[in-house]
Amino acid sequence: MDYQNKYNSLGPGFEINDLSKSKKIPVPVFLFLMAAVLLAGVSMGLFPETFSDYKVFRQAEERIENGETSGALQGLYEVQERHPNSLPVTLKLIELSMDTGYYDLAAFVFNEYLVGKNLSDGQYAKMMRYSRRLDSYYLTYDAVEELMAELNAMAAEDESQEAIENQTEWFRGELAKLHEDESQDQAFLYYYEAITAQDEEEYYNCLKKAYAEDPELFDLRVLLGNAERSRGKMEEAEDYLTAAVAKDKRDAGALRGLAVLAMLEDDFNEGLVKARQAYEADPDSMYVRDTYLIALHVNGDAAGEQAMMKEIEDLEGSLEEDTKQLLEGTMTLQEYYMSD
């Protein structure tokens, strides 16, 4: 089964030189090393005896549990590139990618490294479960992409407010039709229904439905965290955002959301810490610069505030009107963020 490759080439691997053999290894040490290599061979199959790569392989799950999901998968993928015939690496990379919602990476590894390999009955059954999940994901991906292309064509012909509203309703109607097809990815459809919702309640309900179907999809935890905050549910908001950070410590959207919660609770220093972390992780993530600017402002860092304001103006031309009002003192943090 072929899946669309959403990744650019990460470059070729490199050749592994043969390990040099020493003629002066004491017998006990030699026997220990032979046992270690044999153990690695039993557990890794075709995995080459390179201890640094073996360490990446063995520690991948631990790193994910420690909130280093993207880094763990990136490291494991680089090992896969260097050892394309290592079935254990291929299977683990697919499994961990699927478990954490990195479906594009899983699909890429399926096509590039799993095809043609011999699997046990258990391995085959698990990979077929993943394959069916990916089939559904990409079926819906392609359907939504086609609808988006049609929507863009309509918008190019008529950009009036009335036309945009009609086009959005058309789009949502087409999504509703796709829901009737059980082979479609229901979480994916609910996600797009949420981002085209006509009111906050519908937006929230669609996000909840998507999360119930697949909590790992896209940035659902971050969106739900922000939605709960807008509804005044601060504890629920923190739960979602903390879970997102637990999955990936460098999730800029989640860190930004936690910065907002901290500032709303008058913990301005913690808000600044989290806003800075979000900025360092990904300054281009949505609202990250604005939130960092506001955190600098409420902490009285005038020099930092001016520098960030200039950065935003250089990139975007000007600040948002409500951001100006907040900085000028004519809007409160609660007014600014509780309807974000």
Side-chain angles (χ1 to χ4, degrees), residues 25-208:
I25 300 178
V27 172
V29 176
F30 175 77
L31 293 175
F32 172 79
L33 291 176
M34 286 300 294
V37 170
L38 178 61
L39 178 61
V42 169
S43 60
M44 296 285 290
L46 295 174
F47 193 83
E49 299 121 18
T50 54
F51 291 109
S52 61
D53 286 346
Y54 184 59
K55 183 178 180 181
V56 172
F57 174 88
R58 289 294 302 272
Q59 292 183 343
E61 290 170 274
E62 181 181 343
R63 290 187 66 193
I64 288 173
E65 291 175 0
N66 194 41
E68 302 174 58
T69 300
S70 58
L73 293 178
Q74 175 66 29
L76 196 55
Y77 175 72
E78 291 170 0
V79 171
Q80 178 73 93
E81 278 194 309
R82 291 193 286 272
H83 310 302
N85 293 322
S86 174
L87 181 59
V89 176
T90 301
L91 296 177
K92 177 166 282 193
L93 183 51
I94 291 173
E95 179 178 1
L96 295 180
S97 298
M98 293 297 296
D99 289 349
T100 55
Y102 284 71
Y103 303 129
D104 292 334
L105 177 57
F108 180 81
V109 175
F110 249 100
N111 285 339
E112 291 295 314
Y113 300 105
L114 188 64
V115 174
K117 288 188 170 70
N118 294 321
L119 305 177
S120 68
D121 290 344
Q123 291 167 341
Y124 181 81
K126 177 182 283 189
M127 290 302 111
M128 286 304 96
R129 288 198 300 272
Y130 291 148
S131 175
R132 287 189 291 273
R133 175 71 181 90
L134 290 172
D135 283 339
S136 176
Y137 175 84
Y138 280 108
L139 178 68
T140 307
Y141 180 100
D142 291 338
V144 171
E145 194 172 60
E146 185 176 333
L147 291 177
M148 290 294 292
E150 293 185 49
L151 187 64
N152 290 335
M154 293 178 189
E157 294 180 2
D158 190 346
E159 297 181 354
S160 67
Q161 185 62 36
E162 181 180 358
I164 291 174
E165 291 176 1
N166 291 336
Q167 292 157 12
T168 301
E169 282 305 307
W170 168 84
F171 181 79
R172 290 176 55 78
E174 295 301 309
L175 291 179
K177 293 177 185 177
L178 289 174
H179 266 303
E180 298 173 4
D181 180 357
E182 294 183 357
S183 62
Q184 298 285 344
D185 186 323
Q186 300 299 310
F188 202 127
L189 294 173
Y190 283 129
Y191 182 93
Y192 271 85
E193 284 185 321
I195 63 178
T196 55
Q198 300 300 296
D199 59 64
E200 290 185 9
E201 191 65 22
E202 184 181 18
Y203 170 76
Y204 175 76
N205 288 334
C206 288
L207 287 180
K208 290 286 285 186

Side-chain angles (χ1 to χ4, degrees), residues 144-333:
V144 171
E145 194 172 60
E146 185 176 333
L147 291 177
M148 290 294 292
E150 293 185 49
L151 187 64
N152 290 335
M154 293 178 189
E157 294 180 2
D158 190 346
E159 297 181 354
S160 67
Q161 185 62 36
E162 181 180 358
I164 291 174
E165 291 176 1
N166 291 336
Q167 292 157 12
T168 301
E169 282 305 307
W170 168 84
F171 181 79
R172 290 176 55 78
E174 295 301 309
L175 291 179
K177 293 177 185 177
L178 289 174
H179 266 303
E180 298 173 4
D181 180 357
E182 294 183 357
S183 62
Q184 298 285 344
D185 186 323
Q186 300 299 310
F188 202 127
L189 294 173
Y190 283 129
Y191 182 93
Y192 271 85
E193 284 185 321
I195 63 178
T196 55
Q198 300 300 296
D199 59 64
E200 290 185 9
E201 191 65 22
E202 184 181 18
Y203 170 76
Y204 175 76
N205 288 334
C206 288
L207 287 180
K208 290 286 285 186
K209 290 177 182 178
Y211 188 80
E213 293 281 345
D214 183 3
E216 304 302 331
L217 186 68
F218 304 139
D219 55 346
L220 274 173
R221 289 187 179 91
V222 175
L223 295 183
L224 270 169
N226 293 336
E228 294 285 15
R229 179 242 300 159
S230 294
R231 294 163 60 87
K233 305 290 187 180
M234 298 306 192
E235 289 186 10
E236 290 85 345
E238 186 172 4
D239 287 344
Y240 281 119
L241 295 169
T242 301
V245 172
K247 176 178 177 178
D248 200 325
K249 294 177 180 179
R250 292 183 58 79
D251 186 327
L255 291 167
R256 177 257 174 190
L258 290 172
V260 172
L261 289 182
M263 289 190 287
L264 287 172
E265 295 170 355
D266 296 330
D267 190 346
F268 298 143
N269 183 66
E270 178 66 10
L272 180 58
V273 170
K274 288 292 188 290
R276 182 182 295 114
Q277 290 174 346
Y279 178 80
E280 291 171 349
D282 183 5
D284 295 322
S285 187
M286 188 171 292
Y287 300 128
V288 163
R289 285 189 177 87
D290 302 76
T291 301
Y292 191 21
L293 168 65
I294 291 167
L296 291 165
H297 172 77
V298 298
N299 277 275
D301 187 343
E305 177 183 344
Q306 288 299 315
M308 184 51 53
M309 187 182 302
K310 182 178 186 307
E311 182 174 328
I312 293 172
E313 290 173 342
D314 288 346
L315 289 170
E316 302 176 13
S318 65
L319 298 179
E320 296 288 340
E321 189 59 36
D322 56 352
T323 303
K324 292 180 183 178
Q325 292 175 13
L326 177 63
L327 298 178
E328 292 167 357
T330 59
M331 179 182 288
T332 67
L333 282 170

